[in-house]
Amino acid sequence: MDRSTTVLIFEAPLGSGLYRDALRLREHILRRPLGLTVSAEELADDTMRQHFCAVDCGVVVGTVSLRPLDETTLHLKQMAVAEQKRDARVGSQLVTHAEHWGASAGFRLMVAHARVGAEGFYLKQGYAQEGDAFFEQTIPHVRVTKRLA
Ligand SMILES: CC(C)(COP(=O)(O)OP(=O)(O)OC[C@H]1O[C@@H](n2cnc3c(N)ncnc32)[C@H](O)[C@@H]1OP(=O)(O)O)[C@@H](O)C(=O)NCCC(=O)NCCS
């Protein structure tokens, strides 16, 4: 059965209601299951990031954010989709949107640290895995990259 849901994707400027909803989703999906909370360091890092959220029927159901590492490279981070909207292409739409945003801003490479277990999602989006696993936020990750058109 095709579960695809077409979502609206918006920028979520720091301090906006959309940003607050996206932060809540990140906390729920990415930190609580690890026994963590969004740290002060992450909130500081957020001030240097471009945040996007996926909205379905007025509800934030996905989020991702981008930080320039240098003039050509963007770091994609904080990728999370609400449990009830998984496998409905919400994550793919967010990544595609982030890549278009990056390419149109002149960036050439997207980098992400994929949780081991979620790397298959990035490989499906055309990312390549590089190097060995490393620990971040207490769990193993692998670096994945993709050239932006
Ligand atoms: C990983 C995550 C963002 C994927 O979002 P999603 O909206 O469910 O993914 P999509 O529906 O867009 O999936 C696109 C494709 O990736 C595949 N995919 C999704 N999650 C996958 C996973 N964990 N491993 C392997 N493949 C995966 C889907 O099966 C689909 O494949 P297809 O093109 O052959 O049909 C989501 O499951 C999530 O939020 N997980 C918990 C948090 C997390 O791990 N975030 C990533 C941190 S690096």
Side-chain angles (χ1 to χ4, degrees), residues 29-30 79-82 85-93 113-115 117-122 124-125 141:
I29 303 290
L30 296 173
M79 176 81 228
V81 171
K85 286 291 169 187
R86 299 262 171 91
D87 298 322
R89 308 229 153 257
V90 174
S92 316
Q93 290 171 73
H113 296 173
R115 291 174 174 209
E119 74 275 32
F121 165 72
Y122 293 95
K124 287 265 168 88
Q125 316 304 315
H141 286 70

Side-chain angles (χ1 to χ4, degrees), residues 124-145:
K124 287 265 168 88
Q125 316 304 315
Y127 286 72
Q129 187 177 326
E130 292 178 355
D132 297 329
F134 53 91
F135 275 81
E136 213 172 71
Q137 303 291 343
T138 75
I139 52 171
H141 286 70
V142 288
R143 178 182 154 100
V144 293
T145 66

Side-chain angles (χ1 to χ4, degrees), residues 8-134:
L8 297 171
I9 298 183
F10 297 103
E11 277 194 43
L14 213 65
S16 66
L18 286 177
Y19 170 77
R20 279 194 294 279
D21 286 354
L23 194 56
R24 211 170 292 128
L25 187 67
R26 277 164 52 186
E27 174 94 3
H28 177 67
I29 303 290
L30 296 173
R31 294 293 168 265
R32 289 281 176 204
L34 302 180
L36 304 172
T37 57
V38 174
S39 66
E41 286 90 346
E42 286 177 279
L43 292 176
D45 191 55
D46 274 7
T47 64
M48 290 174 276
R49 291 182 165 277
Q50 199 78 30
H51 305 275
F52 298 97
C53 61
V55 176
D56 180 44
C57 299
V59 176
V60 171
V61 294
T63 184
V64 72
S65 80
L66 300 174
R67 177 178 177 174
L69 295 180
D70 58 37
E71 283 177 7
T72 57
T73 309
L74 273 177
H75 187 186
L76 181 149
K77 213 173 164 183
Q78 313 292 4
M79 176 81 228
V81 171
E83 288 100 335
Q84 69 275 17
K85 286 291 169 187
R86 299 262 171 91
D87 298 322
R89 308 229 153 257
V90 174
S92 316
Q93 290 171 73
L94 275 165
V95 169
T96 300
H97 188 91
E99 290 169 354
H100 287 159
W101 186 93
S104 61
F107 291 94
R108 312 295 280 273
L109 184 72
M110 193 70 90
V111 174
H113 296 173
R115 291 174 174 209
V116 169
E119 74 275 32
F121 165 72
Y122 293 95
L123 300 183
K124 287 265 168 88
Q125 316 304 315
Y127 286 72
Q129 187 177 326
E130 292 178 355
D132 297 329
F134 53 91

